[in-house]
Structure formats: structure tokens, C-alpha cells
Amino acid sequence: MTTRELKEKYLKFFEEKRHKIISGSSLIPENDPTALFISAGMHPLVPYLLGQKHPSGDKLVNVQKCIRTTDIEKVGNDTHLTFFEMLGNWGLGSYWKKEAIEMSWEFLIDKKWLGLDKDKISVSCFEGDDEVPKDVKSAKIWQSVGIPKEKIVFLSKDDNFWGPAGKTGPCGPCTEMFYDGVEIWNDVFMEYNKTGEGKYEPLKQKNVDTGMGVERTVAVLNGKKSVFDVEPLKSIVALIKRMATDYDERSARIIADHLRAATFILGDEKGIAPSNLERGYVVRKLIRRAIEFGREIGISKDYAFTIIIAERVIDLMKDDYPELLKNKDFILEQLTQEEEKFNKIDAEAEKIFDDYMKKNGITPMRVVDPRKETYIANPLITKDIATALFKLHSSRGLSMSTIRRLAREKSFVLDEAELEEELEECFKEHVSRSAISAGKFKSGLADNSEQVTKLHTATHLLLAALRKVLGDHVYQKGSNITAERLRLDFSHSEKMTQEQIKKVEDAVNEIITRDLPVNCYEVSLKKAKEIGAMGVFESKYGDKVKVYSIGMSDCPFSCEICAGPHIKKTGELGRFRILKEEASSAGVRRIKAVLE
Ligand code: SER
């Protein structure tokens, strides 16, 4: 069965069950500042899950293109993808567990539809916890349709609870279906709304949200182990194989996945260009990561291979996604530019190694197979090199994997720990020495006078105060600091009232008066997420990020991923005053403020 056939069957089945086929949405969420991309079919339907009437009715079905970057490190295995298509049917307060499970079962086993072997199907249900009870009902329904008790497992919230798609919104326990041990379908019973405070409130209506990953299911239906063994990914991997001189399956899969995802993001109805921020950053990272893996497996620089792959993706998927064809020029143009940029940075980094070798009279040694790490003793990465590399790394995004590859190619003995340490040193010096470059990392600082540093700390306090007064939908959209004032753009759609402005000022000034220490520590990206640090979740190198927090350690007033610099104690700030609050762009407000 092809992906096309599966999609057609699914839509037809649910149409027969009186569902209306609706079209999929753009990959870019509408009105959801908490998420960069649509990550599930239910995501664009959130307003309707919350109770708004959908124009097509209360039973819907569709195919939705999705991007999930949370599992990017797993891509390359048999099941994970950054871009995928998802089938889904929804009952918006119109049917519940019994109907949903019975329809799923019929679609899976009936000969007219998928005709799967009953004996190979198993399911999981939610085991319950303090907040949400055990889903005994679903398990009973599964038994009634014919799943034996021993093939029903109960799992925790990590596995059997879905949502919300952003930080808040509809969610609920789910029941998952496995074929031959592979998860293929998920029926979510959305009866809760998760609030900004982390509470689960009952929703106005009980919704069914199901999701079936197209690629995964087609693989299983065809008896294939991997999503890369079915079309369209199979042809893309084969094409990569033909271009590589030192082929490696995992790398080829990563390239196929990343460039397909990049093609879809660039070619989306709301096309996103590569940049250093948010969505643009994600697409840039996908492209650069793909190119780096391409170099690893010996794809020549002369190929401009990203556009060859993108053209193939467009060709294979344009019938279902005409926007790809429409935006083809933009996709190819952006990829060409990114690949050129990559090559330029790569050449500069290579020159750093070469110059160093020349200067120190080191002749390049022949390395039989650098990938097998059979090095002939050669120089260690020294501080000189680290400093130069770091510059490229911080200003132009030279990646650690490129550094590793070049070091291998030049037969440098790469002591990872030592290199990280050297880079770390550079990082520290760099951050305190020059706030100008620090601005390039994140926050738009204009010079490093003491006043700028103070205003930078004040910006953190302002953002935290805005979130406290206006709500958790407030995120930083931009920041620019001069020696005179700070300017913060943030997500919020209405004009602030005088009272809100006053409350925000008071909250900031209270923290200043309390003279709290500004704590800085370095943690893994994962840890930073866990403790709820705000900021762009990109690591500067390795996996470590700097987190600045102000206030109690277990429940800080402000906690942000940031390159710094900051002042030591809030008492140094003086008095904070908001000069102006105005619209910046749609859904974004701008505040200018000073320290007096
Ligand atoms: N939202 C659920 C999922 O993505 C079901 O559609 O798995």
C-alpha cells in the first residue's frame, strides 16, 4: 500500500462514517505564540476543541503536515521523523470512547479497509494518577471488540496522555494501537484544558482527537521495518546513496528527513526563510545539519546537493502539496544561499587549521580512514585554534560537528573535553569582554557600557513582570538596548491599560528594592527546559546553555537562557520606568523603558 492509498482509504472510511473532510493547515500555527510549528493534526483545531463551532460540523477528518523537532536527535532510526503526515479524525463533542474505538478497530481489521491481522494488534491505555483517573472504560471497550486482556497495557502520563500541543490547551488520556509492536494510531480523549498554572480543568465538550502517522503505518502495512523503506523517503535515501562516496545509512536518513522538512518549511503557504531566530533558526539548523551529514558521507561540495534533494521532494510530493510547486523558486533559492554560506564558513574554518599547520611547520599526514579514528599522532587543538574557531562559531554558526570533521580530516587529535574547555574559556572571555558580540547571540545589545548591562538585566525583569501581569502568552519577540533605554517587543495583542503598566513597573521596582543576586549557571539544554527557563532553545555549542535567574532558586522571578552579560545584584539598577507602550506589529507590543 502506498501513502496515497492509505490517505484515500482513511478519508473515505471516515466520510462513510459521516465525517467531513477538511483541508490541512499551514505548518505555521495561527495565534499560538507558544509553538513554532504545527506538530499534530489537532493543533490547528484547538479553538474548536475548546468549544467554538467548526463551519464543517462536529465530525471531521483530514491529513495534516506536521513538524516535530523535539526528537531531532532520534531521527535516523526506523520510526522518527521531523516532518511527517498525520491522518486524524475528530469528534467535537459528537462522539466519545465507544464510537471512536469501534471505528478505529473496524478500519484496522476490516478487509474492506486495512484488513490487518487481529492477533498482531495490541493496545495501551492510561493508568491514572493524582490528577486524572485510570481509563478503565477504554480498556473495557477494547475487550468488547475482541482484544484479549493480556494485550492491553496500562501506561503512565508519559506514554498515554496527550497534549496540549503548545504549553496550554486541550489534552486528555489516550489509547494507542500497536501493530507488531509498532505504534500506529492514537485515540486521544480530550476532556481537559491545561491552564497556565498547570491545572487540568474539564473542557466544555468532550472531544475525540485521533492521529495516525502516515509513513509509519505504510511501513508496517508493507512489512517494512523502517519509514525510510517506503516512498517517498525510500527514493530520497537512494538518491543520497548515489551521491555519497562514503555511504552511511543513518546519515543518509538524517539528510533525507531534514531536507524534506526544510523543503516543506520553506515551501509552506506562509514560507519561512532561514535566519537566526525561531522558525528561521529551525529551518537553518535542519539545512546545515543535512549539509554537514552530507560532507560526512563524502557528498562533494560541487553538487549543490540540497537543491537536488529538494527538487526530488517537490516532485514526489507536489500532487498532495501544490504549495511546494508554487514556491519552488523560493525553496531552491534559499537552499542555494544556505549551502553557499555553509561552504564559506567551512572554507574559513579549514583555513584556520591550515594556517596553524603552516605557521607551526606541521605537514599534513595521511590518515588511512579518519572515520575509524586511526589517527597518526598529530597536534592537539590548541588555544590559538580554539579562539579562531570560536569566533566563527559564535558569529557565523560554525557547528561543533564541522569542527570535529575538519579536525579529523586534518588528522588533529581531537580531545573533545579539551576542545570544549578551550571553547568554554573563549566563551567566558568573549561574553564579558564584548557585549557587542553578545548581542549577536541573542538580545541586540549595542555597546557594553555599564548602563547597557543594567538595562539588559532590567529587560529580563520586565519580561518576567509582563508575564506575571498579562499572562503566560507573553514571549520576547525582540529586544534592542542602547545606553539610554531598553526596548522590548513581546507577544500580546491588546494595548496595555495604565493600571497594567503601573503593575509591571511596580513588580520590577520591587525586585530592584529587594537587591536580589543575579545568578548565572550553566546547565544542559534539557535541564534548562525542565526548570522552565525562557529563551530560544538553541545551544551555542555542545549541549550546555547559560541560564540567568533572579529570585528564589526553586521558584525564580525571572529565569532565562541568555549569553549575558548582567549585573550582580538588582539593587544596582536604580528605578525602573516605562516611557511608552505601543503596537509593534500584529499581535506584538513594544515597550520602551529607562532606569533612573
Ligand atoms: N494529537 C494526537 C497525536 O498527535 C492524536 O492526534 O498523537
Side-chain angles (χ1 to χ4, degrees):
M1 186 179 289
T2 64
T3 51
R4 168 58 72 80
E5 279 161 12
L6 174 66
K7 289 191 267 186
E8 278 170 0
K9 279 201 169 193
Y10 191 95
L11 296 177
K12 186 143 184 282
F13 174 80
F14 282 99
E15 213 177 14
E16 285 187 14
K17 302 281 177 198
R18 304 206 321 279
H19 286 61
K20 274 267 162 1
I21 301 177
I22 56 167
S23 56
S25 300
S26 150
L27 281 169
I28 315 304
E30 195 89 45
N31 304 326
D32 183 357
T34 71
L36 293 180
F37 295 102
I38 293 294
S39 60
M42 54 73 67
H43 202 163
L45 293 172
V46 168
Y48 310 104
L49 296 164
L50 289 171
Q52 200 177 307
K53 285 251 167 314
H54 193 285
S56 298
D58 56 12
K59 294 191 187 79
L60 310 172
V61 60
N62 79 351
V63 191
Q64 175 65 48
K65 49 182 180 177
C66 300
I67 292 275
R68 276 187 199 174
T69 50
T70 37
D71 288 327
I72 192 168
E73 299 298 333
K74 288 192 197 146
V75 172
N77 69 9
D78 288 331
T79 47
H80 282 85
L81 293 170
T82 311
F83 171 90
F84 59 93
E85 297 179 88
M86 193 175 231
L87 292 158
N89 58 285
W90 290 273
L92 304 172
S94 56
Y95 57 87
W96 195 229
K97 296 183 180 178
K98 186 170 187 302
E99 298 87 334
I101 291 178
E102 284 176 358
M103 283 192 286
S104 291
W105 182 244
E106 183 183 342
F107 184 69
L108 290 178
I109 62 150
D110 194 309
K111 289 269 176 308
K112 188 173 164 207
W113 306 106
L114 298 191
L116 294 179
D117 178 356
K118 279 184 200 171
D119 295 340
K120 289 188 179 171
I121 298 175
S122 60
V123 301
S124 64
C125 300
F126 180 53
E127 70 177 9
D129 65 8
D130 298 347
E131 286 155 323
V132 179
K134 181 172 176 173
D135 190 3
V136 189
K137 190 82 199 284
S138 293
K140 282 226 171 86
I141 301 167
W142 280 120
Q143 271 180 274
S144 77
V145 298
I147 299 247
K149 215 171 169 186
E150 56 288 1
K151 288 207 173 146
I152 304 172
V153 288
F154 284 94
L155 299 173
S156 72
K157 235 186 197 144
D158 283 347
D159 293 296
N160 275 72
F161 193 89
W162 208 92
K167 287 215 171 96
T168 55
C171 55
C174 60
T175 176
E176 294 185 335
M177 289 146 262
F178 298 79
Y179 189 70
D180 245 355
V182 179
E183 182 209 327
I184 52 169
W185 204 352
N186 187 13
D187 287 1
V188 187
F189 302 116
M190 300 207 144
E191 47 181 327
Y192 301 101
N193 179 32
K194 190 173 179 187
T195 66
E197 293 85 49
K199 286 209 186 77
Y200 295 93
E201 286 172 350
L203 277 176
K204 272 199 225 116
Q205 69 191 28
K206 288 186 171 180
N207 306 296
V208 172
D209 150 39
T210 95
M212 175 185 266
V214 172
E215 291 85 344
R216 233 185 241 195
T217 306
V218 173
V220 166
L221 291 175
N222 290 302
K224 304 282 188 208
K225 232 178 115 225
S226 163
V227 289
F228 293 96
D229 292 334
V230 295
E231 294 302 349
L233 289 165
K234 191 177 167 194
S235 307
I236 302 170
V237 169
L239 177 64
I240 294 165
K241 190 168 186 175
R242 286 204 293 280
M243 288 192 259
T245 55
D246 193 7
Y247 185 71
D248 164 68
E249 175 76 13
R250 181 173 167 267
S251 305
R253 288 176 171 193
I254 293 171
I255 298 168
D257 167 82
H258 285 15
L259 288 179
R260 180 167 75 143
T263 302
F264 268 86
I265 299 173
L266 296 168
D268 189 84
E269 296 89 331
K270 296 187 193 160
I272 299 289
S275 74
N276 289 333
L277 265 182
E278 301 195 326
R279 299 184 179 106
Y281 174 77
V282 174
V283 66
R284 171 164 284 167
K285 180 159 174 174
L286 288 167
I287 298 167
R288 289 200 178 172
R289 216 165 168 254
I291 301 174
E292 182 50 44
F293 276 99
R295 299 289 177 262
E296 285 274 341
I297 59 172
I299 296 180
S300 153
K301 280 194 177 76
D302 309 328
Y303 261 129
F305 86 106
T306 58
I307 61 171
I308 300 179
I309 309 290
E311 279 187 310
R312 179 58 64 92
V313 172
I314 297 170
D315 207 38
L316 289 166
M317 302 192 74
K318 64 177 184 313
D319 292 341
D320 290 347
Y321 298 96
E323 64 271 23
L324 297 181
L325 205 55
K326 198 173 141 225
N327 298 320
K328 186 171 173 179
D329 289 349
F330 179 75
I331 299 170
L332 302 185
E333 190 185 286
Q334 293 298 324
L335 285 171
T336 308
Q337 278 177 24
E338 280 302 304
E339 201 166 342
E340 275 166 11
K341 271 190 196 136
F342 182 98
N343 288 341
K344 238 173 147 178
I345 301 168
D346 197 51
E348 281 176 44
E350 187 169 2
K351 192 164 176 301
I352 293 173
F353 280 97
D354 290 344
D355 287 353
Y356 179 83
M357 291 167 89
K358 217 164 155 195
K359 199 169 122 202
N360 293 284
I362 302 161
T363 36
M365 299 218 184
R366 272 200 76 75
V367 178
V368 188
D369 182 356
R371 299 195 54 206
K372 302 229 166 67
E373 308 202 6
T374 49
Y375 305 118
I376 304 163
N378 241 352
L380 284 160
I381 295 273
T382 61
K383 194 165 172 50
D384 283 13
I385 289 200
T387 311
L389 289 175
F390 178 75
K391 250 176 139 172
L392 268 186
H393 172 67
S394 63
S395 60
R396 312 261 301 281
L398 172 70
S399 74
M400 280 303 289
S401 23
T402 306
I403 296 178
R404 283 191 201 103
R405 171 173 50 81
L406 285 171
R408 263 203 321 264
E409 279 171 19
K410 305 285 168 189
S411 63
F412 272 66
V413 174
L414 186 62
D415 179 330
E416 289 272 338
E418 189 165 334
L419 178 63
E420 294 257 348
E421 219 170 273
E422 291 286 3
L423 287 175
E424 175 84 356
E425 279 301 308
C426 298
F427 186 67
K428 279 192 194 130
E429 274 172 35
H430 171 86
V431 171
S432 46
R433 203 184 51 233
S434 151
I436 300 177
S437 343
K440 282 191 194 137
F441 283 125
K442 184 165 189 275
S443 39
L445 301 182
D447 73 35
N448 72 346
S449 71
E450 209 188 34
Q451 194 59 16
V452 169
T453 310
K454 283 184 185 172
L455 285 162
H456 187 192
T457 307
T459 306
H460 280 219
L461 294 179
L462 170 60
L463 181 63
L466 285 167
R467 284 171 65 86
K468 296 220 155 58
V469 174
L470 302 177
D472 281 345
H473 59 279
V474 172
Y475 282 87
Q476 176 163 335
K477 289 284 172 191
S479 159
N480 173 290
I481 299 171
T482 68
E484 285 76 41
R485 54 110 184 101
L486 68 84
R487 191 181 82 196
L488 176 72
D489 290 354
F490 59 96
S491 46
H492 183 61
S493 33
E494 284 133 51
K495 184 166 177 55
M496 284 173 71
T497 63
Q498 275 311 317
E499 198 195 336
Q500 287 170 332
I501 292 178
K502 173 93 180 20
K503 271 195 185 154
V504 168
E505 276 179 346
D506 288 351
V508 172
N509 282 321
E510 196 202 315
I511 300 292
I512 295 176
T513 318
R514 281 163 61 191
D515 198 18
L516 299 172
V518 179
N519 302 309
C520 174
Y521 37 93
E522 236 161 82
V523 292
S524 68
L525 205 53
K526 193 165 158 268
K527 183 84 195 159
K529 275 186 209 173
E530 272 166 26
I531 59 180
M534 310 265 309
V536 183
F537 284 101
E538 52 176 277
S539 67
K540 302 306 175 205
Y541 54 85
D543 232 8
K544 294 264 187 213
V545 290
K546 258 188 175 182
V547 170
Y548 280 90
S549 96
I550 303 168
M552 281 183 298
S553 61
D554 52 342
C555 176
F557 178 79
S558 151
C559 183
E560 284 195 48
I561 294 183
C562 175
H566 286 280
I567 51 144
K568 297 251 157 357
K569 291 187 87 183
T570 58
E572 294 168 42
L573 295 182
R575 221 186 142 63
F576 173 81
R577 191 160 66 87
I578 292 177
L579 294 180
K580 204 170 182 187
E581 192 274 342
E582 62 193 348
S584 162
S585 58
V588 178
R589 307 289 302 176
R590 167 171 290 182
I591 280 183
K592 286 187 186 150
V594 289
L595 289 168
E596 298 171 330

